[in-house]
Amino acid sequence: MLQAAAFFAVQGAFQWVAGMVAPHSSGAFFVTAYLAWVTVAGFVAGLACCAIYFLTATGFGANYNELFCALRMPSYKNFLRLRIAADAC
């Protein structure tokens, strides 16, 4: 839900700014401005979502293995070890 809220906030902010600038700009400028806005604002919104996630997880005392397992960082290894025995169900 946080990512969806960030997405709609970025889109809404661009539409608000574009409403003021659009009458005075060309289509090529509008597309370039949109791509630049989505890149920069999307990065900032993603960074904010990640920070909120980590602060929330730290506040609840979450295990950091669950936090970092989806990042696929080569320097951070996460192993799953299973023992399958013939007598176990």
Side-chain angles (χ1 to χ4, degrees):
M1 287 179 52
L2 182 63
Q3 289 175 336
F7 172 77
F8 288 118
V10 167
Q11 295 299 322
F14 180 76
Q15 289 177 356
W16 178 69
V17 171
M20 294 185 294
V21 179
H24 308 291
S25 63
S26 66
F29 175 77
F30 185 77
V31 170
T32 305
Y34 177 74
L35 292 176
W37 176 264
V38 168
T39 301
V40 173
F43 175 77
V44 171
L47 189 63
C49 288
C50 187
I52 290 169
Y53 176 69
F54 285 122
L55 289 173
T56 303
T58 303
F60 287 111
N63 186 357
Y64 287 105
N65 277 342
E66 287 94 20
L67 297 178
F68 288 105
C69 68
L71 294 178
R72 296 183 188 212
M73 297 170 56
S75 61
Y76 190 85
K77 299 294 182 187
N78 186 3
F79 294 99
L80 174 64
R81 296 182 182 169
L82 300 173
R83 179 175 176 248
I84 301 173
D87 60 343
C89 293

